[in-house]
Every structure is written in structure tokens, then in C-alpha cells.
Amino acid sequence: MTFSAPAAPTVHVASEVFPFSRTGGLADVLGALPAAQAAAGTAVMVVSPWYRDLADAAAVESVGTLNIDGIGEVRLGHERRAGVEYLFLGLEAFDREGLYHSDDVQRFSAFGCAVLPALQALNVQPQLLHGHDWQAALAVAHAHLSGWPTVFTIHNLQYQGRWSLHEAAGWTALPAWTFQPDFVEFFGDLNLLKAGLVFADRVTTVSPTYAQEITTPEYGEGLEGVLQRLDSEGRLCGILNGLDLDRWNPRRDAAIMNYSGPRSKASNRRRLRAEFGFDRAPVLGTVSRLADQKGMDLLLLALPELVKSWNVVILGGGDPLLEAAFQGWHFHPRVAFVSGLNEPLAHRIYAGADVFAMPSRFEPCGLSQMIALRYGTLPVVRATGGLKDTVPPSIGFPFVPATSQALLDACSEALATRRDRAEWERRVKAGMALDFSWNASAQAYRDLYSEILAEG
Ligand code: GLC
């Protein structure tokens, strides 16, 4: 093997890592946090599946194969970038198109079981293993059972990796005593996310407000009891995500007309209006997964009223019903819906819109509102989770009830504020000046790791 192991690294484990694989914000975090940690002097590795359609696959070097009982052959791929060692695990179950499938509990169980043997085969002795979301939870459990310090981060509590315990127990290689309600059993099912919660030394989520919200039945997704216990033991906290400031920089972004203030931003709005044949009304934009979490149904319900004052551009894919409903607006000159992922268009929306809407029902952190702020596009957001922690009412337009009326009211407030040009420019400038760099988060994780290591 040509791989030489870094000394005592922090090992992140996750199902997505930008730029290699991505469906959402999880990938962005794994694309930025490890690099920030490496820049601050920590040895860092990231372990992720070797998907068939991994982007940049050509850069990944094969460093060997491994045979694991019950799983079969696992190919090991390695790549080093920005001081971070990436390790890709090529399991047979990942050799197909796309990231996620209906048999994911089985696939990611295999992945979770393969992480420790792969590290051992490469002589990596982690200082700490840091797993992200349910797909990495089993690796956290096995690491803990092997005596390693562990952190588990919740990016989304709604996805838990549940399957009939009877069928799935054998996939996990966990000892029989863990298959009870105090550990990984959950209403007759195996719940992989719960394995991360109960076995990690510390559980974090990606904003302080969301860390509190998930201890309540409204946001706890059935796990509020477990989370309350963690909270009372001082094992649960929220650390706000940062933003990759190189990737998201209106002064240098190649996909837009560059700008550094409110006046020069206007040419991007002109171009966006022209692109979609919009008139001179202000532009409300959004870039979002079309999922229940994101409250896009509230935006849909608000459209008939919204189009009286706004041009509306929506970029996103997901729920087929929502896609069809937004498609249904194609006749309207003030509505543009583009389905799917489209990175350059996303940049043009962030740069060209006047306001950015995020009516999320829940939002662990959210990255789009931070991008919007940095691009001088004022966020209209539900005051929940990370949205509440990043969008001050003196800059954006937060609203509380999860209703289309509350969204409309916040948009009206934005419209009224926009008539006061000086006040609008003040808000745009203040938003662009907010500091969302990863440094503060990287420091907070470092403190957390030290706390755990000091406990021994
Ligand atoms: C998930 C959450 C989002 C968060 C992201 C990264 O996608 O829904 O709120 O920003 O993970 O942590």
C-alpha cells in the first residue's frame, strides 16, 4: 500500500463530501470543516463511500483492498487535498448510480462496519472519530465499543436509518445487548441514528437553537427523550456551521458579475430579470431541496398573493408533487421554476435576487441564508434553528408561525423596507459584512475534542 498514515488524526465519517459527492448541506460541511481544522494544525481524515459516480474520481488513487467477513471485498481509495486525507471505501453495494437507495440501511450498515477495519488496515490510529448523520452512526458505535473517543453530529434528525430490528440486527455486527430500548432499539426497529446518540461521548448539532429545539416533541422526531437525557448529562450542544468563503464570494465568483456592495449588485438583478423575462418588480429567489422540511409548500400557497408584487424564481428538486405544482405556474410571467441542481444558476439567484426565501419548518443550520447574506440578498426566513441564529431581524426578515400568511407578512415588510433605499442599503451592507468563516466553528470543535480527550 502506498498510503502513509497521518499521526493520531481526527477521522470524520460521512456519506457525502464536497466536491466528490453531494446532495445537500452535509457535503458542504464535510468539504469545509476538515480543511479548516487542517489549516489550524489538526491532522484530519475523511472517510466516505466510493460511489460509482464520485466526482473527481480520477484523482482518487487505489491503495489496496480488504476482505471483511459478511461484507466481502472493500476497495480503498485515497486522495489528499488542502491538508486533508480522504479515504474512500469501495463496497459492492455502492457500485451503482446515485448516492441513496431504498436499501440504504443495509448499505450503510456495511459501510459502518467497514470503517474501523479499513483504518486498521492502513495503520491509522485515530485520536477521535467524528461521525455525521445516521449513515455514519454505526461507525461511531463500533469506534466507541473499541474504546475510541467519539463525537456524533446531527445534521438532520428526520432521517434516522430505521429498519425492522429482526431483519437488520445481523447487518450491524453489534453485540446482542445493544438491541434494547436503552440502545439501538426503537419501537421494534433498529434505529442507526440512535446508535450515534447513545454511544458518542458528545452529540452536537449544527446550531445552538436547533440543539434546544430537538429536546422538545415538536422537533425531536421521537428521539426527544434520548436527547433530553443527553442534554441533562451535558453531552449535547450546538456548534454553528460556517460558510466556505472562497467558494461563495461575490467579489470573485466566476458565475456572476462581481460586486462588493449594493450598487454594483444591481447588474446581476438586471441579468436575472432578463434571463427569465421578468418585469421591473423586485425578485424573490430560493434555492432549495423540495422537501417538507423546507416549507416549500408554504411558498407555493403564498404564490398567488406574492406574484402581485414580486417576480419569483425557484431552483430545486425533490418531492414530485411539489415539482409538479411549481411546474404548473409556468404560464405566469412572474414565476420561474427550474427543477434539479444547477450550480451556476444557484449563484446567479444568490447574486441577482432582492430577497431570499427560506420558510423551513425546521432547519438544523441552513447554508443558503448565509450565502444570501454574503451576496447582499436579504433573507426572509422562519425563525427556527440555524436560521434564527444567523439572520438578525435588523438585517433580514424572520417570521415565526409556519404559515403562508406569516411568510407573506414578512415579504410585505421586506417590500415596505425596500422603499426606503438608504435603510435597504444599510441592511445589504450589514449582511455582506457578517463573518461566517469556519474559524470559529473549527475552534469550537477543537475545544470540544479537548474536553473529551481530557476525560480520558
Ligand atoms: C442538513 C440540514 C441543514 C444543515 C446541513 C449542514 O442539510 O438540513 O440545515 O445546514 O445539514 O449541516
Side-chain angles (χ1 to χ4, degrees):
M1 296 196 185
T2 55
F3 176 83
S4 79
T10 293
V11 176
H12 290 278
V13 181
S15 61
E16 304 185 12
V17 46
F18 182 84
F20 302 99
S21 53
R22 179 181 196 276
T23 69
L26 171 66
D28 298 320
V29 172
L30 272 297
L33 170 64
Q37 293 178 315
T42 309
V44 197
M45 283 186 77
V46 178
V47 183
S48 198
W50 198 341
Y51 298 105
R52 178 190 287 176
D53 39 15
L54 204 67
D56 266 359
V60 179
E61 180 203 3
S62 245
V63 287
T65 54
L66 186 71
N67 255 296
I68 304 178
D69 279 353
I71 295 177
E73 192 176 86
V74 180
R75 292 174 303 122
L76 306 179
H78 169 250
E79 151 81 339
R80 188 188 161 87
R81 220 176 254 206
V84 180
E85 310 283 348
Y86 295 89
L87 177 62
F88 297 101
L89 305 190
L91 290 87
E92 202 200 311
F94 290 88
D95 187 15
R96 47 171 117 148
E97 257 165 57
L99 270 59
Y100 302 122
H101 296 277
S102 56
D103 55 349
D104 278 352
V105 173
Q106 188 169 15
R107 296 166 77 226
F108 285 100
S109 292
F111 172 70
C113 290
V115 172
L116 266 67
L119 292 171
Q120 276 148 4
L122 294 172
N123 284 319
V124 178
Q125 272 151 5
Q127 183 171 58
L128 181 144
L129 186 136
H130 186 161
H132 300 261
D133 274 354
W134 76 265
Q135 296 91 343
L138 193 55
V140 170
H142 283 298
H144 174 81
L145 296 170
S146 304
W148 301 358
T150 50
V151 173
F152 181 67
T153 296
I154 303 165
H155 298 261
N156 199 327
L157 193 59
Q158 204 170 45
Y159 304 102
Q160 301 180 354
R162 273 179 80 164
W163 204 264
S164 141
L165 182 61
H166 175 68
E167 217 177 316
W171 302 338
T172 62
L174 286 174
W177 59 263
T178 66
F179 301 126
Q180 350 156 3
D182 275 349
F183 298 97
V184 303
E185 192 271 356
F186 189 66
F187 300 104
D189 285 346
L190 165 78
N191 183 322
L192 284 174
L193 183 112
K194 200 176 163 194
L197 302 185
V198 300
F199 286 117
D201 291 305
R202 290 288 192 290
V203 173
T204 73
T205 187
V206 286
S207 70
T209 294
Y210 191 64
Q212 289 176 352
E213 287 173 340
I214 56 178
T215 62
T216 67
E218 194 188 343
Y219 291 93
E221 303 286 345
L223 287 165
E224 57 276 6
V226 183
L227 291 159
Q228 280 160 20
R229 197 174 68 220
L230 288 173
D231 191 32
S232 66
E233 293 166 2
R235 286 168 56 208
L236 175 68
C237 72
I239 298 178
L240 201 62
N241 287 335
L243 185 67
D244 184 336
L245 298 182
D246 291 328
R247 190 172 153 212
W248 300 105
N249 182 354
R251 290 173 183 81
R252 282 203 298 268
D253 185 334
I256 61 166
M257 292 186 244
N258 297 135
Y259 59 96
S260 54
R263 300 273 160 100
S264 46
K265 174 176 161 62
S267 47
N268 285 285
R269 190 181 51 215
R270 273 196 293 279
R271 191 164 93 169
L272 191 64
R273 278 183 177 144
E275 179 170 354
F276 292 110
F278 286 160
D279 61 21
R280 292 187 52 78
V283 181
L284 178 145
T286 194
V287 178
S288 177
R289 271 186 299 123
L290 301 182
D292 176 63
Q293 171 194 350
K294 300 293 178 180
M296 285 294 125
D297 52 319
L298 304 180
L299 183 66
L300 183 69
L301 284 173
L303 268 184
E305 193 58 34
L306 269 182
V307 293
K308 293 180 184 165
S309 323
W310 301 86
N311 293 295
V312 181
V313 51
I314 301 136
L315 168 63
D319 182 342
L321 286 176
L322 278 172
E323 282 203 29
F326 281 119
Q327 294 287 10
W329 276 85
H330 68 89
F331 67 90
H332 200 288
R334 281 189 170 173
V335 179
F337 170 66
V338 179
S339 130
L341 290 173
N342 181 334
E343 180 94 4
L345 176 58
H347 287 243
R348 294 199 294 279
I349 294 175
Y350 287 118
D354 296 279
V355 304
F356 190 91
M358 269 179 100
S360 305
R361 291 211 157 67
F362 68 93
E363 197 61 77
C365 178
L367 295 168
S368 306
Q369 80 282 10
M370 294 193 253
I371 301 171
L373 285 164
R374 184 153 162 81
Y375 279 61
T377 302
L378 301 185
V380 174
V381 299
R382 253 205 90 217
T384 185
L387 298 174
K388 190 172 171 184
D389 293 340
T390 53
V391 181
S394 59
I395 297 178
F397 304 92
F399 60 95
V400 177
T403 62
S404 59
Q405 190 54 53
L407 168 63
L408 281 169
D409 292 346
C411 290
S412 304
E413 195 197 326
L415 202 62
T417 308
R418 197 171 170 277
R419 290 193 193 104
D420 179 347
R421 189 162 170 183
E423 167 62 7
W424 192 265
E425 288 191 358
R426 183 198 64 75
R427 287 181 183 239
V428 169
K429 278 189 196 145
M432 292 182 77
L434 290 174
D435 177 13
F436 293 122
S437 74
W438 270 100
N439 299 342
S441 325
Q443 183 59 49
Y445 282 110
R446 198 181 163 111
D447 293 346
L448 185 78
Y449 297 167
S450 312
E451 222 177 278
I452 299 171
L453 297 172
E455 285 165 10

Short mmCIF file of all heavy atoms in Angstrom, two decimals, residues 39-75:
data_model
loop_
_atom_site.label_atom_id
_atom_site.label_comp_id
_atom_site.label_asym_id
_atom_site.label_seq_id
_atom_site.Cartn_x
_atom_site.Cartn_y
_atom_site.Cartn_z
N ALA A 39 -6.04 23.44 8.53
CA ALA A 39 -5.36 24.74 8.49
C ALA A 39 -4.98 25.19 9.90
O ALA A 39 -3.99 25.89 10.09
CB ALA A 39 -6.25 25.78 7.82
N ALA A 40 -5.77 24.75 10.89
CA ALA A 40 -5.47 25.13 12.28
C ALA A 40 -4.50 24.15 12.94
O ALA A 40 -4.27 24.21 14.14
CB ALA A 40 -6.77 25.22 13.08
N GLY A 41 -3.97 23.20 12.13
CA GLY A 41 -2.90 22.36 12.66
C GLY A 41 -3.30 20.97 13.14
O GLY A 41 -2.49 20.24 13.69
N THR A 42 -4.58 20.58 12.95
CA THR A 42 -5.01 19.24 13.34
C THR A 42 -4.80 18.27 12.18
O THR A 42 -5.02 18.65 11.03
CB THR A 42 -6.53 19.25 13.67
OG1 THR A 42 -6.78 20.31 14.59
CG2 THR A 42 -6.99 17.94 14.27
N ALA A 43 -4.36 17.05 12.45
CA ALA A 43 -4.32 16.02 11.40
C ALA A 43 -5.75 15.53 11.18
O ALA A 43 -6.44 15.17 12.12
CB ALA A 43 -3.43 14.87 11.83
N VAL A 44 -6.20 15.55 9.92
CA VAL A 44 -7.61 15.24 9.65
C VAL A 44 -7.76 14.25 8.51
O VAL A 44 -7.11 14.36 7.47
CB VAL A 44 -8.42 16.50 9.24
CG1 VAL A 44 -9.91 16.23 9.36
CG2 VAL A 44 -8.04 17.69 10.07
N MET A 45 -8.67 13.30 8.70
CA MET A 45 -9.06 12.38 7.62
C MET A 45 -10.57 12.43 7.44
O MET A 45 -11.30 12.72 8.39
CB MET A 45 -8.68 10.94 7.97
CG MET A 45 -7.23 10.62 7.81
SD MET A 45 -6.94 8.85 8.08
CE MET A 45 -7.52 8.15 6.54
N VAL A 46 -11.02 12.11 6.24
CA VAL A 46 -12.46 11.98 5.98
C VAL A 46 -12.68 10.62 5.32
O VAL A 46 -12.02 10.30 4.33
CB VAL A 46 -12.95 13.09 5.02
CG1 VAL A 46 -14.43 12.90 4.72
CG2 VAL A 46 -12.70 14.47 5.62
N VAL A 47 -13.57 9.82 5.90
CA VAL A 47 -13.90 8.52 5.32
C VAL A 47 -15.30 8.57 4.76
O VAL A 47 -16.25 8.99 5.44
CB VAL A 47 -13.80 7.40 6.38
CG1 VAL A 47 -14.08 6.04 5.74
CG2 VAL A 47 -12.44 7.41 7.06
N SER A 48 -15.45 8.16 3.49
CA SER A 48 -16.74 8.27 2.82
C SER A 48 -16.87 7.14 1.80
O SER A 48 -15.86 6.54 1.42
CB SER A 48 -16.80 9.65 2.14
OG SER A 48 -18.12 10.01 1.83
N PRO A 49 -18.08 6.82 1.34
CA PRO A 49 -18.20 5.74 0.36
C PRO A 49 -17.58 6.11 -0.99
O PRO A 49 -17.62 7.27 -1.40
CB PRO A 49 -19.71 5.56 0.21
CG PRO A 49 -20.31 6.13 1.44
CD PRO A 49 -19.40 7.27 1.82
N TRP A 50 -17.09 5.10 -1.66
CA TRP A 50 -16.56 5.27 -3.02
C TRP A 50 -17.71 4.98 -3.98
O TRP A 50 -17.88 3.86 -4.45
CB TRP A 50 -15.40 4.29 -3.25
CG TRP A 50 -14.52 4.63 -4.41
CD1 TRP A 50 -14.81 5.45 -5.46
CD2 TRP A 50 -13.19 4.16 -4.64
NE1 TRP A 50 -13.75 5.53 -6.32
CE2 TRP A 50 -12.73 4.73 -5.85
CE3 TRP A 50 -12.33 3.30 -3.95
CZ2 TRP A 50 -11.47 4.47 -6.37
CZ3 TRP A 50 -11.07 3.03 -4.47
CH2 TRP A 50 -10.64 3.62 -5.68
N TYR A 51 -18.53 6.00 -4.20
CA TYR A 51 -19.67 5.82 -5.09
C TYR A 51 -19.18 5.62 -6.52
O TYR A 51 -18.12 6.12 -6.89
CB TYR A 51 -20.58 7.07 -5.06
CG TYR A 51 -21.17 7.35 -3.71
CD1 TYR A 51 -20.68 8.39 -2.91
CD2 TYR A 51 -22.23 6.59 -3.23
CE1 TYR A 51 -21.23 8.65 -1.67
CE2 TYR A 51 -22.79 6.85 -1.97
CZ TYR A 51 -22.28 7.88 -1.20
OH TYR A 51 -22.81 8.15 0.03
N ARG A 52 -19.99 4.94 -7.31
CA ARG A 52 -19.58 4.71 -8.70
C ARG A 52 -19.36 6.05 -9.41
O ARG A 52 -18.40 6.22 -10.14
CB ARG A 52 -20.64 3.92 -9.44
CG ARG A 52 -20.26 3.72 -10.90
CD ARG A 52 -21.39 3.15 -11.71
NE ARG A 52 -21.60 1.74 -11.39
CZ ARG A 52 -22.59 1.02 -11.93
NH1 ARG A 52 -23.44 1.58 -12.75
NH2 ARG A 52 -22.72 -0.25 -11.61
N ASP A 53 -20.27 7.00 -9.18
CA ASP A 53 -20.13 8.27 -9.91
C ASP A 53 -19.55 9.38 -9.03
O ASP A 53 -19.97 10.54 -9.09
CB ASP A 53 -21.43 8.71 -10.58
CG ASP A 53 -22.65 8.43 -9.73
OD1 ASP A 53 -22.46 8.18 -8.53
OD2 ASP A 53 -23.77 8.47 -10.25
N LEU A 54 -18.56 9.02 -8.24
CA LEU A 54 -17.82 10.01 -7.47
C LEU A 54 -17.25 11.07 -8.43
O LEU A 54 -16.61 10.72 -9.42
CB LEU A 54 -16.66 9.28 -6.79
CG LEU A 54 -16.03 9.86 -5.53
CD1 LEU A 54 -17.04 9.81 -4.39
CD2 LEU A 54 -14.81 9.03 -5.15
N ALA A 55 -17.49 12.34 -8.14
CA ALA A 55 -16.89 13.38 -8.97
C ALA A 55 -15.39 13.39 -8.71
O ALA A 55 -14.96 13.04 -7.60
CB ALA A 55 -17.50 14.73 -8.61
N ASP A 56 -14.61 13.76 -9.69
CA ASP A 56 -13.16 13.81 -9.50
C ASP A 56 -12.55 12.45 -9.22
O ASP A 56 -11.49 12.36 -8.60
CB ASP A 56 -12.81 14.72 -8.29
CG ASP A 56 -12.52 16.13 -8.75
OD1 ASP A 56 -12.58 16.37 -9.97
OD2 ASP A 56 -12.24 16.98 -7.90
N ALA A 57 -13.22 11.39 -9.67
CA ALA A 57 -12.76 10.03 -9.34
C ALA A 57 -11.33 9.80 -9.84
O ALA A 57 -10.57 9.03 -9.25
CB ALA A 57 -13.70 9.00 -9.94
N ALA A 58 -10.97 10.51 -10.92
CA ALA A 58 -9.64 10.32 -11.50
C ALA A 58 -8.54 10.65 -10.50
O ALA A 58 -7.44 10.10 -10.56
CB ALA A 58 -9.49 11.18 -12.75
N ALA A 59 -8.84 11.56 -9.56
CA ALA A 59 -7.83 11.97 -8.59
C ALA A 59 -7.64 10.94 -7.48
O ALA A 59 -6.69 11.00 -6.71
CB ALA A 59 -8.23 13.32 -7.99
N VAL A 60 -8.58 9.99 -7.39
CA VAL A 60 -8.52 9.04 -6.28
C VAL A 60 -7.61 7.88 -6.65
O VAL A 60 -7.75 7.24 -7.69
CB VAL A 60 -9.94 8.51 -5.94
CG1 VAL A 60 -9.87 7.49 -4.82
CG2 VAL A 60 -10.86 9.67 -5.57
N GLU A 61 -6.66 7.61 -5.76
CA GLU A 61 -5.66 6.57 -6.02
C GLU A 61 -6.03 5.31 -5.24
O GLU A 61 -6.35 5.37 -4.05
CB GLU A 61 -4.30 7.10 -5.56
CG GLU A 61 -3.17 6.14 -5.77
CD GLU A 61 -1.99 6.44 -4.83
OE1 GLU A 61 -2.11 7.35 -3.98
OE2 GLU A 61 -0.98 5.73 -4.93
N SER A 62 -6.00 4.17 -5.92
CA SER A 62 -6.27 2.90 -5.26
C SER A 62 -5.12 2.55 -4.34
O SER A 62 -3.97 2.54 -4.77
CB SER A 62 -6.40 1.81 -6.32
OG SER A 62 -7.69 1.31 -6.31
N VAL A 63 -5.41 2.25 -3.08
CA VAL A 63 -4.31 1.91 -2.17
C VAL A 63 -4.49 0.53 -1.56
O VAL A 63 -3.85 0.20 -0.58
CB VAL A 63 -4.13 2.96 -1.04
CG1 VAL A 63 -3.53 4.24 -1.59
CG2 VAL A 63 -5.43 3.23 -0.30
N GLY A 64 -5.35 -0.28 -2.17
CA GLY A 64 -5.44 -1.65 -1.70
C GLY A 64 -6.85 -2.15 -1.58
O GLY A 64 -7.81 -1.42 -1.86
N THR A 65 -7.00 -3.40 -1.22
CA THR A 65 -8.32 -3.97 -0.96
C THR A 65 -8.27 -4.74 0.33
O THR A 65 -7.20 -5.08 0.84
CB THR A 65 -8.76 -4.96 -2.07
OG1 THR A 65 -7.73 -5.93 -2.22
CG2 THR A 65 -9.02 -4.26 -3.37
N LEU A 66 -9.45 -5.00 0.81
CA LEU A 66 -9.60 -5.55 2.14
C LEU A 66 -10.73 -6.56 2.05
O LEU A 66 -11.67 -6.34 1.30
CB LEU A 66 -10.00 -4.38 3.03
CG LEU A 66 -10.13 -4.49 4.50
CD1 LEU A 66 -8.73 -4.63 5.08
CD2 LEU A 66 -10.74 -3.19 5.03
N ASN A 67 -10.65 -7.67 2.78
CA ASN A 67 -11.79 -8.59 2.81
C ASN A 67 -12.40 -8.61 4.19
O ASN A 67 -11.70 -8.86 5.16
CB ASN A 67 -11.34 -9.99 2.39
CG ASN A 67 -11.81 -10.27 0.98
OD1 ASN A 67 -13.03 -10.32 0.75
ND2 ASN A 67 -10.87 -10.38 0.06
N ILE A 68 -13.68 -8.32 4.28
CA ILE A 68 -14.31 -8.29 5.59
C ILE A 68 -15.41 -9.35 5.63
O ILE A 68 -16.24 -9.42 4.71
CB ILE A 68 -14.92 -6.90 5.89
CG1 ILE A 68 -13.84 -5.82 5.76
CG2 ILE A 68 -15.53 -6.86 7.27
CD1 ILE A 68 -14.34 -4.42 5.97
N ASP A 69 -15.41 -10.14 6.69
CA ASP A 69 -16.43 -11.19 6.84
C ASP A 69 -17.83 -10.61 6.72
O ASP A 69 -18.15 -9.62 7.36
CB ASP A 69 -16.32 -11.84 8.23
CG ASP A 69 -15.20 -12.87 8.25
OD1 ASP A 69 -14.63 -13.14 7.17
OD2 ASP A 69 -14.89 -13.37 9.35
N GLY A 70 -18.64 -11.25 5.91
CA GLY A 70 -20.04 -10.82 5.80
C GLY A 70 -20.24 -9.63 4.88
O GLY A 70 -21.37 -9.27 4.56
N ILE A 71 -19.16 -8.96 4.48
CA ILE A 71 -19.30 -7.79 3.60
C ILE A 71 -18.64 -8.05 2.26
O ILE A 71 -19.13 -7.67 1.21
CB ILE A 71 -18.67 -6.54 4.26
CG1 ILE A 71 -19.45 -6.16 5.52
CG2 ILE A 71 -18.65 -5.36 3.28
CD1 ILE A 71 -18.87 -4.99 6.27
N GLY A 72 -17.54 -8.73 2.31
CA GLY A 72 -16.83 -9.04 1.06
C GLY A 72 -15.68 -8.09 0.83
O GLY A 72 -15.13 -7.51 1.78
N GLU A 73 -15.38 -7.91 -0.44
CA GLU A 73 -14.20 -7.12 -0.78
C GLU A 73 -14.49 -5.62 -0.67
O GLU A 73 -15.53 -5.15 -1.11
CB GLU A 73 -13.76 -7.46 -2.21
CG GLU A 73 -12.40 -6.92 -2.54
CD GLU A 73 -11.96 -7.36 -3.93
OE1 GLU A 73 -12.31 -6.66 -4.90
OE2 GLU A 73 -11.27 -8.39 -4.03
N VAL A 74 -13.57 -4.88 -0.08
CA VAL A 74 -13.70 -3.43 0.02
C VAL A 74 -12.45 -2.80 -0.60
O VAL A 74 -11.33 -3.04 -0.14
CB VAL A 74 -13.81 -2.97 1.49
CG1 VAL A 74 -13.95 -1.46 1.57
CG2 VAL A 74 -14.99 -3.65 2.18
N ARG A 75 -12.65 -2.02 -1.66
CA ARG A 75 -11.51 -1.33 -2.27
C ARG A 75 -11.25 -0.04 -1.50
O ARG A 75 -12.16 0.66 -1.08
CB ARG A 75 -11.82 -0.98 -3.73
CG ARG A 75 -11.93 -2.20 -4.65
CD ARG A 75 -12.39 -1.81 -6.04
NE ARG A 75 -13.67 -1.12 -6.01
CZ ARG A 75 -13.87 0.10 -6.49
NH1 ARG A 75 -12.90 0.80 -7.05
NH2 ARG A 75 -15.08 0.65 -6.42
#
